[in-house]
Amino acid sequence: MRTGGGSAECAAPGPRWAMASILDEYEDSLHRSVSVQHSRASVGIPHSGYVNARLEKETPIFNKQRIDFTPPEKINSLVVSSNQLCMSLGKDTLLRIDLGKPDEPNQVELGRKDEAKVYKMFLDHTGSHLLIALNTSECLYLNRSVQKVRALSRWKGHLIESVGWNKFLGSETNTGPILVGTSQGQIYEAEISVSEGSLFSTNPDQYFRQVYTLEEESGPAPVCCLEIERGIEGKFFIIATTRKRLFQFVGKVPEGTEQQGFSSIFAVHADHLPSFREFPANLGFSEIAFYTPKLRSNPRSFAWMMGNGVLYGTLDYSRPDSILSDERVWVYPPDIDITVNKPISIVLTQFHFLLLLSDRVKAVCTLNGQVVFQDLFLEKFGLLTRMIKDPTVQQIWIHTEKVVFRYHVQRESRDVWKMYMNMNKFDLAKEYCKDRPECLDIVLAKEAEHCFQNKRYLDSAKCYALTQNYFEEIALKFIEAKQEEALMEFLIKKLSNLKPSEKTQTTLLTTWLTELYLNWLGILQGDPSQRNLYLDTREKFRTFLSSPKNKDCLFNNRASIYELLASHGDTEHMVYFAVIMQDYERVVAHHCQHDEYDEALNVLSRHRDEKLFYKFSPVLIQHIPKKVVDAWISMGSRLDARNLIPALVNYSQSASTQQINEAIRYMEFCVYQLEETQQAIHNYLLSLYALCRPDSLLSYLEQAGTNPNRIHYDLKYALRLCAEHGHHRACVHIYKVMELYEEAVDLALQVDVDLAKSCADLPEDDEELRKKLWLKIARHVVQEEKDVKKAMACLSSCALLKIEDVLPFFPDFVTIDHFKEAICNSLEDYNKHIEELKREMEEATQSAKRIREDIQEMRNKYGSVEPQEKCAACDFPLLNRPFYLFLCGHMFHYDCLLQAVFPNLPAYKQAKLEDLQKKLAATSQPSKSHHRPKDTDTISLGKGQQSREQIKADIDDIVAAECVYCGELMIRSIDKPFIDPQKYEEEMQSWL
């Protein structure tokens, strides 16, 4: 089929944001980003803020297409369902078309020889079962899968007006129990089944039995429409209409007995009429249409065309006795006179019902009853006969006797938002324009204005904030109405809708909101009756300040916010804001100014900022020293104790001994727990010990050790400090560490002789110094203490002292009795020493004798060399040149051994060896004088020979001291590379 259709245009509003003088800076920032001048929308609604421009042409909601089809005979009836179209042509022809394959129509002959004509046709929801009612009170049946029309014998004698199909049990070969309405008001229950592959032809109608009769006040009336629907819990609803009445039959069909039909439902109403709606006017017929949103779902609304107009409503399947809900009657438009130009058919869509008249189609909106569409048909097409809708594809079909038209329903909900908006149903309006921002803006503006007029200012503010209306107009509205709370709500919502790039607008709104919040809190705080509102507003303000979305803006403008808070005297929120901004310095300073030292320390401890500890510790330690030190200790190594020493110094100068102990406690923590090695820390701890804890001073010094390289305090500073405070033992210890043993002994003698003795034994490697120190002790004991016994004890304590060393210290009047034992012991020691020297001399004499014998034996020792022996270095015959033979068996030419040994000799030996070689060469040259006397020449030769042998012996001592392969030389060269690194490249190239 070839189709053709029309189109329509539609205008859409578009964006705009303009400013006035109330917020000039805000206006300027917005106009910098939007510079296009816009016009107001043309729909008679307040300015939406979107450009009124036609961007594209829109097709109308109901787009008509004429089917390119010329029937050979006039069209009597047409039905469509599930994309299956059946058309009755002339007297005896039936045309079936699968709209999915429009080029393959199927024509069936009814095979009637009489004058019978097609009265009505009925096609089920699957498009499989076709009923053809004849004006002769007969009925024919045609299944989609067969070509032959079958007569329904049990149906004969009844003029069929309507059929209620079973959408729950029907199949392609079986209709299931269905309901049939006649012109006499009877309702029959029937079932049609097609037997596949049967050898014998059987009647398709299984049964046909009457279940009810519909009546009006004048008696039985034609059954114009029948509809079967199933609700919840197995409940069925049957709707039947006559010319003036709409009946409802409600009942349950037990589960598993649906195949038995609906007789039980009608049997309930055998003695009394079911519920019905009746209207006085009469068209002579009626028609009901249903709207089903999705395939295989229940209808959601209905429209009943009758004499008084169209009864429209929704279907509520949860109701017990009637599924009709929200009913209203839309009267016919003024140009429809039921006596002259009555409507012929009705079709229902989601938001409209279409009325078919003889020459036009009218679409009426179900929301307001207004005609929104009218389509006139030319007279050349003939009178319009019937209008039907295919529920599966939502297409509407209209035909005359010679032309077929089809309507496509496209974006039916496009203008529904306007109607809902005008009905003040703003939620529904927003639902139907959520994908169209220009329309949504209009709805929001209208809703905001509606709420404002009804004094629902907070709701109005929320809606205004979502629109593109003039910002200053809205703000002035709330200011003039003295609705500060609503104004704040508007600004909050507006702020939340700003983009991150709109920094200026964000700054201004944030600052304004802060000012409004502070004003409002100030008013509420002074009114005890508004306590709850004050707390609620305070919580909102804090939420606003801590909002992640506002964080960057508040941080960048925190100086302005601080000024606002200060101008209102709101220190509570100043502290709160400072905490949010992580401006803990300001928080701690605030607490310190108000003598809230514990709170200040809690902030420091909670946020653990080292710089803040350094800054505020001098103040805090003056008031809460123990807690401050506890906080320092909890920070551990994150704090540098050197930066805290100034605070401790200032504190310790004005504090008591008890308070200084806190400083000592922290310094001890640093030294012993953190193992700090900084000299300043150790020096300060040393000063505190010297000042308040002399007992701990010496233990600290002793624990630090005596190795100067591992001591972390300054020795000179410590010595001066201890001397100033008279801590002599500590000074002695420091002298010992500095290895100033004489000073240590001199000072120790002022304290304790035993201490001096311990110092005197320290220079173990210097006996002379040790003896000198002990002499100092002895002199002190003799001359100062005048204690001879103690002086003698010194002799026993130091083996270096003799009685003769000590005797000069004693006065002349001392008797020898005090030294008798010491002198005897000294003489005995001398005797023992003399005897020991004699024994050592004898041993030395014996050793010298044995060495001379060994030398003589070595001179007589020899080794034999075979003629074929070769040099271990050059592998040439050994006997060709002078050579060396070692006890290990290795043999070397003289020059080969010299070449191997020379590079490994120390520099001084290399020089000596070169000098000896020169001397040896000089002695080898013959004398140039041939005229000397013979005696003189002989004497010179003798002296030269002696010198030459000595030189050779010296060379042998250097070169042949040990075997080059077996001696220490080989061991020392184990870490040397086989190839000299400087010659490595050359060697490597030679192998390539």
Side-chain angles (χ1 to χ4, degrees), residues 742 745-746 749 772-781:
E742 290 190 47
V745 170
D746 290 340
L749 289 175
K772 181 179 179 181
L773 297 177
W774 276 102
L775 286 173
K776 281 178 176 284
I777 297 172
R779 175 181 294 176
H780 174 80
V781 172

Side-chain angles (χ1 to χ4, degrees), residues 317-334:
Y317 295 92
S318 62
R319 301 180 65 183
D321 299 323
S322 172
I323 61 172
L324 306 184
S325 179
D326 300 330
E327 301 171 47
R328 68 179 70 178
V329 176
W330 295 116
V331 298
Y332 294 119

Side-chain angles (χ1 to χ4, degrees), residues 591-708:
H591 288 310
C592 290
Q593 290 171 3
H594 292 78
D595 297 336
E596 299 170 351
Y597 302 110
D598 288 334
E599 288 296 327
L601 184 60
N602 289 337
V603 173
L604 290 177
S605 301
R606 192 161 52 246
H607 300 289
R608 304 173 74 83
D609 189 329
E610 300 87 351
K611 294 181 180 179
L612 294 182
F613 267 103
Y614 300 147
K615 182 171 183 178
F616 291 100
S617 288
V619 177
L620 295 176
I621 199 168
Q622 298 290 339
H623 300 88
I624 47 174
K626 185 178 185 307
K627 293 181 179 179
V628 171
V629 171
D630 289 339
W632 289 351
I633 292 174
S634 67
M635 288 288 288
S637 58
R638 294 183 60 178
L639 290 178
D640 187 347
R642 291 178 301 173
N643 296 327
L644 297 173
I645 289 177
L648 291 171
V649 170
N650 293 334
Y651 168 67
S652 60
Q653 288 176 352
S654 59
S656 64
T657 304
Q658 182 64 30
Q659 292 172 319
I660 293 177
N661 288 336
E662 295 299 329
I664 294 176
R665 182 161 68 95
Y666 180 65
M667 289 292 103
E668 288 179 339
F669 169 76
C670 295
V671 171
Y672 299 122
Q673 300 296 325
L674 301 182
E675 299 181 352
E676 286 284 355
T677 59
Q678 296 294 332
Q679 191 178 77
I681 297 173
H682 286 264
N683 287 347
Y684 183 60
L685 178 59
L686 201 64
S687 68
L688 293 175
Y689 279 149
L691 182 64
C692 297
R693 288 191 190 175
D695 296 339
S696 301
L697 175 61
L698 188 58
S699 62
Y700 165 76
L701 294 174
E702 291 174 349
Q703 187 173 353
T706 58
N707 186 347

Side-chain angles (χ1 to χ4, degrees), residues 802-818:
K802 304 299 180 182
I803 185 62
E804 58 269 26
D805 298 325
V806 181
L807 284 176
F809 302 147
F810 289 95
D812 297 337
F813 58 85
V814 178
T815 61
I816 198 172
D817 294 340
H818 295 89

Side-chain angles (χ1 to χ4, degrees), residues 3-208:
T3 61
S7 62
E9 294 184 356
C10 162
R16 157 173 159 174
W17 190 327
M19 290 284 101
S21 61
I22 185 169
L23 290 175
D24 294 335
E25 189 174 358
Y26 193 85
E27 171 190 13
D28 294 340
S29 65
L30 289 174
H31 276 299
R32 281 196 294 270
S33 60
V34 181
S35 60
V36 181
Q37 297 295 324
H38 305 300
S39 61
R40 290 187 178 271
S42 59
V43 293
I45 298 173
H47 175 58
S48 67
Y50 287 89
V51 177
N52 180 20
R54 288 187 174 91
L55 301 180
E56 59 180 354
K57 293 183 179 181
E58 287 192 3
T59 59
I61 296 175
F62 303 101
N63 188 18
K64 182 176 70 176
Q65 296 176 325
R66 178 183 174 184
I67 306 300
D68 188 12
F69 169 70
T70 303
E73 299 180 76
K74 69 176 183 178
I75 302 173
N76 299 320
S77 182
L78 183 146
V79 289
V80 181
S81 184
S82 294
N83 239 14
Q84 301 294 320
L85 183 146
C86 297
M87 188 186 306
S88 171
L89 301 177
K91 176 183 176 182
D92 198 47
T93 303
L94 188 68
L95 186 65
R96 295 188 297 184
I97 301 174
D98 184 349
L99 297 178
K101 304 174 183 177
D103 297 332
E104 301 177 7
N106 176 249
Q107 186 171 318
V108 178
E109 300 296 331
L110 299 182
R112 303 287 296 188
K113 303 299 183 183
D114 52 13
E115 296 299 321
K117 295 181 180 180
V118 173
Y119 176 62
K120 285 185 178 182
M121 294 197 303
F122 309 94
L123 186 62
D124 79 323
H125 61 287
T126 65
S128 301
H129 306 284
L130 177 67
L131 291 174
I132 307 166
L134 304 179
N135 59 356
T136 58
S137 299
E138 296 178 82
C139 192
L140 306 178
Y141 171 74
L142 180 64
N143 189 276
R144 184 169 64 180
S145 60
V146 299
Q147 285 289 107
K148 185 177 181 181
V149 178
R150 304 289 298 277
L152 302 177
S153 58
R154 292 186 175 89
W155 296 39
K156 191 172 183 180
H158 301 284
L159 183 61
I160 306 302
E161 291 284 352
S162 59
V163 175
W165 295 103
N166 193 328
K167 294 177 283 188
F168 315 105
L169 295 178
S171 65
E172 292 186 359
T173 59
N174 189 287
T175 62
I178 61 174
L179 296 178
V180 181
T182 69
S183 59
Q184 300 301 316
Q186 297 99 350
I187 297 177
Y188 287 87
E189 184 180 78
E191 184 177 359
I192 301 174
S193 179
V194 178
S195 300
E196 297 182 2
S198 175
L199 296 175
F200 304 98
S201 178
T202 57
N203 290 331
D205 48 337
Q206 303 297 309
Y207 62 87
F208 189 77

